[in-house]
Amino acid sequence: MRVLLRRLEQGFVALNAWVVIACLAVMAGVVFVNVCMRYFANTSIPWADELARYLMIWMTFLGAGLVLRQGGHVAITSLRDALPGRVQMVLRAALVCLLMGFFAYMVWVGWDYMNRARFQRTPALRLSFRTVYAAMPIGFALLMVHLALIAPRFIRVGRTEAEDDMTGGQHG
């Protein structure tokens, strides 16, 4: 059972990463073609900048959970490091609960914001802004899933497996 859950988690992380990579590739491709058209043909694709902007928004929200797994978000650890081991665990557990609550709140806020904009259209692509703003609740929901998956180890030892992989198990 543990092996199956591990494989599901690895598949989830890989899928999330590939979607972010696909967004980056499309964004870079569209911007490259648009720059070439401006330089060589003295014209541009009217919707290129808009598409690049919205893909960057989606990349940011979809990639936030992957960054969380790597320990890449800003953290101030001086207080935590000054506390005894058991108190550090309690602090980390409280931090996980606080983050989970904040992420859940942002899913709710994002959902509301997305639905309020459902009748507005983007200028060039004529997409519903609901499509653009859906990045927020989806991104925060993914953050919740990533946090739930890394929380047990983070609470126990103070870092994620991905952080250990990046440092070769060295800490400090």
Coordinates of all heavy atoms in Angstrom, one line a residue, residues 3-97:
V3 N 3.9 1.6 -1.2 CA 4.5 1.8 -2.5 C 3.5 2.4 -3.5 O 3.9 3.3 -4.2 CB 5.0 0.4 -3.0 CG1 5.5 0.5 -4.4 CG2 6.1 -0.2 -2.1
L4 N 2.3 2.0 -3.4 CA 1.3 2.5 -4.3 C 1.1 4.0 -4.0 O 1.0 4.8 -5.0 CB -0.1 1.8 -4.2 CG -1.2 2.3 -4.9 CD1 -1.0 2.2 -6.4 CD2 -2.5 1.6 -4.6
L5 N 1.0 4.4 -2.8 CA 0.8 5.8 -2.4 C 2.0 6.6 -2.8 O 1.9 7.7 -3.3 CB 0.6 5.9 -0.9 CG -0.8 5.4 -0.4 CD1 -0.8 5.5 1.1 CD2 -1.9 6.1 -1.0
R6 N 3.2 6.0 -2.7 CA 4.4 6.7 -3.1 C 4.4 7.0 -4.6 O 4.8 8.0 -5.1 CB 5.6 5.9 -2.7 CG 6.9 6.5 -3.0 CD 7.3 7.5 -2.0 NE 8.7 7.9 -2.3 CZ 9.1 9.1 -2.1 NH1 8.4 10.0 -1.6 NH2 10.4 9.4 -2.3
R7 N 4.0 5.9 -5.4 CA 3.9 6.1 -6.8 C 2.9 7.1 -7.3 O 3.1 7.9 -8.2 CB 3.6 4.7 -7.5 CG 4.8 3.8 -7.5 CD 4.8 2.9 -8.7 NE 6.0 2.2 -8.8 CZ 6.1 0.9 -9.1 NH1 5.0 0.2 -9.3 NH2 7.3 0.4 -9.2
L8 N 1.7 7.1 -6.6 CA 0.7 8.1 -6.9 C 1.2 9.5 -6.6 O 1.0 10.4 -7.4 CB -0.6 7.8 -6.1 CG -1.4 6.7 -6.5 CD1 -2.5 6.4 -5.5 CD2 -2.0 6.9 -7.9
E9 N 1.9 9.7 -5.5 CA 2.5 11.0 -5.2 C 3.5 11.4 -6.3 O 3.5 12.5 -6.7 CB 3.2 11.0 -3.8 CG 3.8 12.3 -3.5 CD 4.4 12.3 -2.1 OE1 4.3 11.4 -1.3 OE2 5.0 13.4 -1.7
Q10 N 4.4 10.5 -6.7 CA 5.4 10.8 -7.7 C 4.7 11.1 -9.0 O 5.2 12.0 -9.7 CB 6.3 9.6 -7.9 CG 7.3 9.4 -6.7 CD 8.1 8.1 -6.8 OE1 7.7 7.2 -7.5 NE2 9.2 8.0 -6.1
G11 N 3.7 10.4 -9.4 CA 2.9 10.7 -10.6 C 2.3 12.1 -10.5 O 2.3 12.9 -11.5
F12 N 1.7 12.4 -9.3 CA 1.1 13.7 -9.1 C 2.1 14.8 -9.3 O 1.9 15.8 -10.0 CB 0.4 13.8 -7.7 CG 0.0 15.1 -7.3 CD1 -1.0 15.8 -7.9 CD2 0.7 15.8 -6.3 CE1 -1.4 17.1 -7.5 CE2 0.4 17.0 -5.8 CZ -0.7 17.7 -6.4
V13 N 3.3 14.7 -8.7 CA 4.3 15.7 -8.8 C 4.8 15.8 -10.2 O 5.0 16.9 -10.7 CB 5.5 15.4 -7.8 CG1 6.7 16.3 -8.0 CG2 5.0 15.5 -6.3
A14 N 5.0 14.7 -10.9 CA 5.5 14.7 -12.2 C 4.5 15.4 -13.2 O 4.9 16.2 -14.0 CB 5.8 13.3 -12.7
L15 N 3.2 15.1 -13.0 CA 2.2 15.7 -13.8 C 2.2 17.2 -13.6 O 2.1 18.0 -14.6 CB 0.8 15.1 -13.5 CG -0.3 15.7 -14.3 CD1 -0.2 15.5 -15.8 CD2 -1.7 15.1 -13.8
N16 N 2.2 17.6 -12.3 CA 2.2 19.0 -12.0 C 3.4 19.7 -12.7 O 3.3 20.8 -13.3 CB 2.3 19.2 -10.5 CG 2.0 20.6 -10.0 OD1 1.9 20.8 -8.8 ND2 1.9 21.6 -10.8
A17 N 4.6 19.1 -12.6 CA 5.8 19.7 -13.2 C 5.7 19.8 -14.7 O 6.1 20.8 -15.3 CB 7.0 18.8 -12.8
W18 N 5.2 18.7 -15.3 CA 5.0 18.8 -16.8 C 4.1 19.8 -17.3 O 4.3 20.4 -18.3 CB 4.7 17.4 -17.3 CG 5.9 16.5 -17.5 CD1 6.2 15.5 -16.7 CD2 7.0 16.7 -18.4 NE1 7.5 15.0 -17.1 CE2 8.0 15.7 -18.1 CE3 7.3 17.6 -19.4 CZ2 9.1 15.6 -18.8 CZ3 8.4 17.5 -20.1 CH2 9.4 16.5 -19.8
V19 N 3.0 20.1 -16.5 CA 2.1 21.1 -16.9 C 2.7 22.5 -16.8 O 2.6 23.3 -17.7 CB 0.8 21.1 -16.0 CG1 -0.1 22.3 -16.2 CG2 0.0 19.8 -16.3
V20 N 3.5 22.7 -15.7 CA 4.3 23.9 -15.6 C 5.3 24.1 -16.7 O 5.4 25.2 -17.3 CB 5.0 24.0 -14.2 CG1 5.9 25.2 -14.1 CG2 3.9 24.1 -13.1
I21 N 6.0 23.0 -17.1 CA 6.9 23.0 -18.2 C 6.2 23.3 -19.5 O 6.7 24.1 -20.3 CB 7.7 21.7 -18.2 CG1 8.7 21.6 -17.0 CG2 8.5 21.6 -19.5 CD1 9.2 20.2 -16.8
A22 N 5.1 22.8 -19.7 CA 4.3 23.0 -20.9 C 3.9 24.5 -21.0 O 4.0 25.1 -22.1 CB 3.1 22.1 -21.0
C23 N 3.5 25.0 -19.9 CA 3.1 26.5 -19.9 C 4.3 27.3 -20.3 O 4.2 28.3 -21.1 CB 2.6 26.9 -18.5 SG 0.9 26.3 -18.1
L24 N 5.5 27.0 -19.7 CA 6.7 27.8 -20.0 C 7.1 27.6 -21.4 O 7.4 28.6 -22.1 CB 7.8 27.3 -19.0 CG 9.2 28.0 -19.3 CD1 9.1 29.5 -19.0 CD2 10.2 27.3 -18.4
A25 N 7.0 26.4 -22.0 CA 7.4 26.2 -23.4 C 6.5 27.0 -24.3 O 7.0 27.6 -25.3 CB 7.3 24.7 -23.7
V26 N 5.2 26.9 -24.1 CA 4.2 27.6 -24.9 C 4.5 29.1 -24.8 O 4.5 29.9 -25.8 CB 2.8 27.3 -24.6 CG1 1.8 28.2 -25.4 CG2 2.5 25.8 -25.0
M27 N 4.7 29.6 -23.6 CA 4.9 31.0 -23.4 C 6.2 31.5 -24.1 O 6.2 32.5 -24.8 CB 5.0 31.3 -21.9 CG 5.2 32.8 -21.6 SD 5.3 33.2 -19.8 CE 7.0 32.6 -19.6
A28 N 7.3 30.7 -23.9 CA 8.5 31.1 -24.6 C 8.4 31.0 -26.1 O 8.9 31.9 -26.8 CB 9.6 30.2 -24.1
G29 N 7.7 30.0 -26.6 CA 7.5 29.9 -28.0 C 6.7 31.1 -28.6 O 7.1 31.6 -29.7
V30 N 5.6 31.4 -28.0 CA 4.8 32.5 -28.5 C 5.6 33.9 -28.4 O 5.6 34.6 -29.4 CB 3.5 32.6 -27.7 CG1 2.8 34.0 -27.9 CG2 2.6 31.5 -28.0
V31 N 6.3 34.1 -27.3 CA 7.1 35.3 -27.2 C 8.2 35.3 -28.3 O 8.4 36.4 -28.9 CB 7.7 35.5 -25.8 CG1 8.7 36.6 -25.7 CG2 6.5 35.8 -24.8
F32 N 8.9 34.2 -28.5 CA 9.9 34.1 -29.5 C 9.4 34.4 -30.9 O 10.0 35.2 -31.6 CB 10.6 32.8 -29.4 CG 11.7 32.6 -30.5 CD1 12.9 33.2 -30.3 CD2 11.4 31.8 -31.6 CE1 13.9 33.0 -31.3 CE2 12.4 31.7 -32.6 CZ 13.7 32.3 -32.4
V33 N 8.3 33.8 -31.2 CA 7.7 34.0 -32.6 C 7.3 35.5 -32.7 O 7.5 36.1 -33.8 CB 6.6 33.0 -32.8 CG1 5.8 33.4 -34.1 CG2 7.1 31.6 -33.0
N34 N 6.7 36.0 -31.7 CA 6.3 37.4 -31.8 C 7.4 38.4 -31.9 O 7.4 39.3 -32.7 CB 5.4 37.8 -30.5 CG 4.6 39.0 -30.7 OD1 4.1 39.2 -31.8 ND2 4.4 39.8 -29.7
V35 N 8.5 38.1 -31.2 CA 9.7 39.0 -31.3 C 10.3 38.9 -32.7 O 10.7 39.9 -33.4 CB 10.8 38.6 -30.3 CG1 12.1 39.3 -30.6 CG2 10.3 39.1 -28.9
C36 N 10.4 37.6 -33.3 CA 10.9 37.4 -34.6 C 10.0 38.2 -35.6 O 10.5 38.8 -36.6 CB 11.0 35.9 -34.9 SG 12.3 35.1 -34.1
M37 N 8.7 38.1 -35.5 CA 7.8 38.7 -36.4 C 8.0 40.3 -36.3 O 7.9 40.9 -37.4 CB 6.4 38.4 -36.1 CG 6.0 36.9 -36.6 SD 4.3 36.5 -36.4 CE 3.5 37.6 -37.5
R38 N 8.2 40.8 -35.1 CA 8.4 42.2 -35.0 C 9.7 42.6 -35.7 O 9.7 43.7 -36.4 CB 8.4 42.6 -33.5 CG 7.1 42.7 -32.9 CD 7.3 43.1 -31.4 NE 6.0 43.0 -30.7 CZ 5.8 43.0 -29.4 NH1 6.9 43.0 -28.7 NH2 4.7 42.9 -28.9
Y39 N 10.7 41.8 -35.5 CA 12.0 42.2 -36.1 C 12.1 42.0 -37.6 O 12.6 42.9 -38.3 CB 13.1 41.3 -35.4 CG 14.5 41.7 -35.8 CD1 15.1 42.8 -35.3 CD2 15.2 40.9 -36.7 CE1 16.4 43.1 -35.7 CE2 16.5 41.2 -37.1 CZ 17.1 42.3 -36.6 OH 18.4 42.6 -37.0
F40 N 11.6 40.9 -38.1 CA 11.7 40.6 -39.5 C 10.6 41.1 -40.4 O 10.8 41.4 -41.5 CB 11.9 39.0 -39.7 CG 13.2 38.5 -39.2 CD1 13.1 37.6 -38.1 CD2 14.4 38.9 -39.7 CE1 14.3 37.1 -37.6 CE2 15.6 38.4 -39.1 CZ 15.5 37.5 -38.1
A41 N 9.3 41.1 -39.8 CA 8.2 41.4 -40.7 C 7.6 42.8 -40.2 O 6.6 43.2 -40.9 CB 7.1 40.3 -40.6
N42 N 8.1 43.4 -39.2 CA 7.5 44.6 -38.7 C 6.0 44.6 -38.4 O 5.3 45.5 -38.6 CB 7.8 45.8 -39.7 CG 7.8 47.1 -39.0 OD1 8.1 47.2 -37.8 ND2 7.5 48.2 -39.8
T43 N 5.7 43.4 -37.8 CA 4.3 43.2 -37.4 C 4.4 42.3 -36.2 O 5.4 41.7 -35.8 CB 3.4 42.6 -38.5 OG1 2.1 42.5 -38.1 CG2 3.9 41.2 -38.9
S44 N 3.2 42.1 -35.5 CA 3.2 41.2 -34.3 C 1.9 40.5 -34.2 O 0.9 40.9 -34.9 CB 3.5 42.0 -33.1 OG 2.5 42.9 -32.8
I45 N 1.9 39.5 -33.4 CA 0.7 38.8 -33.1 C -0.1 39.5 -32.1 O 0.4 39.8 -31.0 CB 1.0 37.3 -32.6 CG1 2.0 36.6 -33.6 CG2 -0.2 36.5 -32.3 CD1 2.6 35.3 -33.0
P46 N -1.3 39.9 -32.4 CA -2.1 40.8 -31.4 C -2.3 40.2 -30.1 O -2.4 40.9 -29.1 CB -3.4 41.0 -32.1 CG -3.2 40.7 -33.6 CD -2.1 39.7 -33.6
W47 N -2.4 38.9 -30.0 CA -2.8 38.2 -28.7 C -1.6 37.6 -28.0 O -1.7 37.0 -26.9 CB -3.8 37.1 -28.9 CG -3.5 36.3 -30.1 CD1 -4.0 36.4 -31.4 CD2 -2.6 35.1 -30.2 NE1 -3.5 35.4 -32.2 CE2 -2.6 34.6 -31.5 CE3 -1.8 34.5 -29.2 CZ2 -1.8 33.5 -31.9 CZ3 -1.0 33.4 -29.6 CH2 -1.1 32.9 -30.9
A48 N -0.4 37.8 -28.5 CA 0.8 37.1 -28.0 C 1.2 37.6 -26.6 O 1.4 36.7 -25.7 CB 2.0 37.3 -28.9
D49 N 1.2 38.9 -26.3 CA 1.5 39.4 -25.0 C 0.5 38.9 -24.0 O 0.8 38.6 -22.8 CB 1.6 40.9 -25.0 CG 2.8 41.4 -25.9 OD1 3.7 40.6 -26.1 OD2 2.7 42.6 -26.3
E50 N -0.8 39.0 -24.4 CA -1.8 38.6 -23.4 C -1.7 37.1 -23.1 O -1.8 36.7 -21.9 CB -3.2 38.8 -24.1 CG -4.4 38.7 -23.2 CD -5.7 39.1 -23.9 OE1 -5.8 40.3 -24.1 OE2 -6.5 38.2 -24.2
L51 N -1.5 36.2 -24.1 CA -1.3 34.8 -23.8 C -0.1 34.6 -22.9 O -0.2 33.8 -21.9 CB -1.2 34.0 -25.1 CG -1.0 32.5 -24.9 CD1 -2.2 31.9 -24.3 CD2 -0.8 31.9 -26.3
A52 N 1.0 35.2 -23.2 CA 2.2 35.0 -22.4 C 1.9 35.5 -20.9 O 2.3 34.8 -20.0 CB 3.3 35.9 -22.9
R53 N 1.2 36.6 -20.7 CA 0.9 37.0 -19.4 C 0.0 36.0 -18.6 O 0.3 35.7 -17.5 CB 0.1 38.4 -19.5 CG -0.2 39.0 -18.1 CD -0.9 40.3 -18.3 NE -0.5 41.1 -19.4 CZ -1.2 41.5 -20.4 NH1 -2.5 41.1 -20.5 NH2 -0.7 42.2 -21.4
Y54 N -1.0 35.5 -19.3 CA -1.9 34.6 -18.6 C -1.2 33.2 -18.4 O -1.5 32.6 -17.3 CB -3.2 34.4 -19.4 CG -4.0 35.7 -19.5 CD1 -4.7 36.0 -20.6 CD2 -3.9 36.7 -18.5 CE1 -5.4 37.2 -20.8 CE2 -4.6 37.9 -18.7 CZ -5.3 38.1 -19.8 OH -6.0 39.3 -19.9
L55 N -0.3 32.8 -19.3 CA 0.4 31.6 -19.0 C 1.4 31.8 -17.8 O 1.6 30.8 -17.0 CB 1.2 31.2 -20.2 CG 0.4 30.5 -21.3 CD1 1.2 30.4 -22.6 CD2 -0.2 29.2 -20.9
M56 N 1.9 32.9 -17.7 CA 2.8 33.2 -16.5 C 2.0 33.2 -15.2 O 2.5 32.6 -14.2 CB 3.5 34.5 -16.7 CG 4.5 34.7 -15.5 SD 5.6 36.2 -15.8 CE 6.6 35.6 -17.1
I57 N 0.8 33.7 -15.2 CA 0.0 33.6 -14.1 C -0.3 32.2 -13.7 O -0.2 31.8 -12.5 CB -1.4 34.4 -14.3 CG1 -1.1 35.9 -14.4 CG2 -2.4 34.1 -13.2 CD1 -2.2 36.7 -14.9
W58 N -0.7 31.4 -14.7 CA -1.0 30.0 -14.4 C 0.3 29.2 -13.9 O 0.2 28.4 -13.0 CB -1.5 29.3 -15.7 CG -3.0 29.4 -15.7 CD1 -3.7 30.4 -16.3 CD2 -4.0 28.5 -15.1 NE1 -5.1 30.2 -16.1 CE2 -5.2 29.0 -15.4 CE3 -3.9 27.4 -14.4 CZ2 -6.4 28.4 -14.9 CZ3 -5.0 26.8 -13.9 CH2 -6.3 27.3 -14.2
M59 N 1.4 29.5 -14.6 CA 2.7 28.9 -14.1 C 3.0 29.2 -12.7 O 3.4 28.3 -11.9 CB 3.9 29.4 -15.0 CG 4.1 28.6 -16.2 SD 5.6 29.1 -17.1 CE 6.2 30.6 -16.4
T60 N 2.8 30.4 -12.3 CA 3.1 30.9 -10.9 C 2.2 30.1 -9.9 O 2.8 29.5 -8.9 CB 2.8 32.4 -10.7 OG1 3.7 33.1 -11.7 CG2 3.1 32.8 -9.3
F61 N 0.9 30.0 -10.2 CA 0.1 29.3 -9.2 C 0.3 27.8 -9.3 O 0.2 27.1 -8.2 CB -1.4 29.7 -9.5 CG -1.8 31.0 -8.9 CD1 -1.9 32.1 -9.7 CD2 -2.0 31.2 -7.5 CE1 -2.2 33.4 -9.1 CE2 -2.3 32.4 -7.0 CZ -2.4 33.5 -7.8
L62 N 0.4 27.2 -10.4 CA 0.6 25.8 -10.5 C 2.0 25.4 -10.0 O 2.1 24.2 -9.5 CB 0.5 25.3 -12.0 CG -0.9 25.5 -12.6 CD1 -0.9 25.0 -14.1 CD2 -2.0 24.8 -11.8
G63 N 3.0 26.2 -10.1 CA 4.3 25.9 -9.7 C 4.6 26.1 -8.2 O 5.6 25.6 -7.6
A64 N 3.7 26.8 -7.5 CA 3.9 27.2 -6.1 C 4.0 25.9 -5.2 O 4.8 25.9 -4.3 CB 2.8 28.1 -5.6
G65 N 3.2 24.9 -5.5 CA 3.3 23.7 -4.7 C 4.6 22.9 -4.9 O 5.2 22.4 -4.0
L66 N 5.1 23.0 -6.1 CA 6.4 22.3 -6.4 C 7.5 23.1 -5.6 O 8.4 22.4 -5.1 CB 6.7 22.3 -7.9 CG 5.7 21.5 -8.7 CD1 5.9 21.8 -10.2 CD2 5.8 20.0 -8.4
V67 N 7.5 24.4 -5.6 CA 8.4 25.2 -4.9 C 8.3 24.9 -3.4 O 9.4 24.7 -2.7 CB 8.3 26.7 -5.2 CG1 9.2 27.5 -4.3 CG2 8.5 26.9 -6.6
L68 N 7.1 24.7 -2.9 CA 6.9 24.4 -1.5 C 7.6 23.1 -1.1 O 8.3 23.0 -0.1 CB 5.4 24.3 -1.2 CG 5.0 23.9 0.3 CD1 5.3 25.1 1.2 CD2 3.6 23.5 0.3
R69 N 7.5 22.1 -2.0 CA 8.1 20.8 -1.8 C 9.6 20.9 -1.7 O 10.3 20.1 -1.0 CB 7.8 19.8 -2.9 CG 6.3 19.5 -3.0 CD 6.2 18.5 -4.1 NE 6.5 17.1 -3.7 CZ 5.7 16.3 -3.0 NH1 4.4 16.7 -2.8 NH2 6.0 15.2 -2.7
Q70 N 10.2 21.8 -2.4 CA 11.7 22.0 -2.4 C 12.2 22.9 -1.3 O 13.4 23.1 -1.2 CB 12.1 22.6 -3.8 CG 11.7 21.8 -5.0 CD 12.4 20.5 -5.1 OE1 13.6 20.4 -4.6 NE2 11.7 19.5 -5.6
G71 N 11.3 23.5 -0.5 CA 11.7 24.4 0.5 C 12.1 25.7 -0.1 O 12.9 26.4 0.5
G72 N 11.5 26.1 -1.2 CA 12.0 27.3 -1.9 C 11.3 28.6 -1.6 O 11.7 29.6 -2.0
H73 N 10.2 28.5 -0.8 CA 9.6 29.8 -0.4 C 10.4 30.4 0.8 O 11.1 29.8 1.5 CB 8.1 29.5 0.1 CG 7.2 29.1 -1.0 ND1 6.8 30.0 -2.0 CD2 6.7 27.9 -1.4 CE1 6.0 29.4 -2.8 NE2 6.0 28.1 -2.5
V74 N 10.2 31.7 0.9 CA 10.9 32.4 2.0 C 10.5 31.9 3.3 O 9.3 31.7 3.6 CB 10.6 34.0 1.9 CG1 11.2 34.7 3.0 CG2 11.0 34.5 0.5
A75 N 11.5 31.7 4.2 CA 11.3 31.2 5.6 C 12.3 31.9 6.5 O 13.4 32.0 6.2 CB 11.4 29.7 5.6
I76 N 11.8 32.3 7.6 CA 12.6 32.8 8.7 C 12.7 31.8 9.8 O 11.7 31.5 10.4 CB 12.1 34.2 9.2 CG1 12.0 35.2 8.1 CG2 13.0 34.7 10.4 CD1 11.3 36.5 8.4
T77 N 13.8 31.2 10.0 CA 13.9 30.0 10.8 C 14.7 30.2 12.1 O 14.9 29.3 12.9 CB 14.6 28.8 10.1 OG1 15.9 29.2 9.7 CG2 13.8 28.4 8.9
S78 N 15.1 31.5 12.4 CA 16.0 31.7 13.5 C 15.2 31.4 14.9 O 15.8 30.8 15.8 CB 16.5 33.2 13.5 OG 15.5 34.1 13.3
L79 N 14.0 31.8 15.0 CA 13.2 31.4 16.2 C 13.1 29.9 16.3 O 13.4 29.4 17.4 CB 11.8 32.1 16.2 CG 10.9 31.6 17.3 CD1 11.4 32.0 18.6 CD2 9.5 32.2 17.0
R80 N 12.7 29.3 15.3 CA 12.5 27.8 15.3 C 13.8 27.1 15.7 O 13.8 26.2 16.5 CB 12.0 27.3 13.9 CG 11.7 25.8 14.0 CD 11.5 25.3 12.6 NE 12.9 25.2 11.9 CZ 13.0 25.2 10.6 NH1 12.0 25.2 9.8 NH2 14.3 25.1 10.2
D81 N 14.9 27.6 15.1 CA 16.2 26.9 15.4 C 16.7 27.1 16.8 O 17.4 26.3 17.3 CB 17.2 27.4 14.4 CG 17.0 27.0 12.9 OD1 16.1 26.1 12.8 OD2 17.5 27.6 12.0
A82 N 16.2 28.2 17.4 CA 16.6 28.5 18.8 C 15.8 27.7 19.8 O 16.2 27.6 21.0 CB 16.5 30.0 19.1
L83 N 14.7 27.0 19.4 CA 13.9 26.3 20.3 C 14.4 24.8 20.5 O 15.0 24.3 19.6 CB 12.5 26.3 19.8 CG 11.8 27.7 19.7 CD1 10.5 27.5 19.0 CD2 11.6 28.3 21.1
P84 N 14.0 24.2 21.6 CA 14.4 22.8 21.8 C 13.6 21.9 20.8 O 12.6 22.3 20.2 CB 13.9 22.5 23.2 CG 13.4 23.7 23.8 CD 13.4 24.8 22.8
G85 N 14.1 20.7 20.5 CA 13.6 19.8 19.5 C 12.1 19.6 19.5 O 11.4 19.7 18.5
R86 N 11.6 19.3 20.7 CA 10.1 18.9 20.8 C 9.3 20.2 20.5 O 8.2 20.1 19.9 CB 9.8 18.4 22.2 CG 8.5 17.8 22.4 CD 8.5 16.4 21.9 NE 7.2 15.8 22.1 CZ 6.6 15.0 21.3 NH1 7.1 14.8 20.1 NH2 5.5 14.5 21.6
V87 N 9.7 21.3 21.0 CA 9.0 22.6 20.8 C 9.0 22.9 19.3 O 8.0 23.5 18.7 CB 9.5 23.7 21.6 CG1 8.8 25.0 21.4 CG2 9.5 23.3 23.1
Q88 N 10.1 22.7 18.6 CA 10.2 22.9 17.2 C 9.2 22.1 16.4 O 8.5 22.6 15.5 CB 11.6 22.5 16.7 CG 12.7 23.5 16.9 CD 14.0 23.0 16.3 OE1 14.0 22.2 15.3 NE2 15.1 23.6 16.7
M89 N 9.0 20.8 16.8 CA 7.9 20.0 16.2 C 6.5 20.6 16.4 O 5.8 20.6 15.4 CB 7.9 18.6 16.8 CG 8.9 17.7 16.1 SD 8.9 16.0 16.8 CE 7.2 15.5 16.6
V90 N 6.3 21.1 17.6 CA 4.9 21.7 17.8 C 4.8 22.9 17.0 O 3.7 23.2 16.4 CB 4.8 22.0 19.3 CG1 3.5 22.8 19.6 CG2 4.7 20.7 20.1
L91 N 5.9 23.7 16.9 CA 5.8 24.9 16.1 C 5.6 24.6 14.6 O 4.8 25.2 13.9 CB 7.1 25.7 16.2 CG 7.2 27.1 15.5 CD1 6.1 28.0 16.0 CD2 8.6 27.7 15.7
R92 N 6.3 23.6 14.1 CA 6.1 23.1 12.7 C 4.7 22.6 12.5 O 4.1 22.9 11.4 CB 7.2 22.1 12.3 CG 8.6 22.7 12.2 CD 9.5 21.7 11.6 NE 9.7 20.4 12.3 CZ 10.7 20.2 13.2 NH1 11.6 21.2 13.4 NH2 10.8 19.1 13.8
A93 N 4.1 21.9 13.4 CA 2.8 21.4 13.3 C 1.8 22.6 13.2 O 0.9 22.6 12.4 CB 2.4 20.5 14.4
A94 N 2.0 23.6 14.1 CA 1.2 24.8 14.1 C 1.3 25.5 12.8 O 0.3 26.0 12.2 CB 1.5 25.7 15.3
L95 N 2.5 25.6 12.2 CA 2.8 26.3 11.0 C 2.0 25.6 9.8 O 1.4 26.2 9.0 CB 4.3 26.3 10.7 CG 4.7 27.0 9.4 CD1 4.3 28.4 9.3 CD2 6.2 26.8 9.2
V96 N 2.1 24.2 9.8 CA 1.4 23.5 8.8 C -0.2 23.7 8.9 O -0.8 24.0 7.9 CB 1.7 22.0 8.9 CG1 0.7 21.1 8.1 CG2 3.1 21.7 8.5
C97 N -0.7 23.7 10.1 CA -2.1 24.0 10.3 C -2.5 25.4 9.8 O -3.5 25.6 9.1 CB -2.5 23.8 11.7 SG -2.5 22.1 12.3

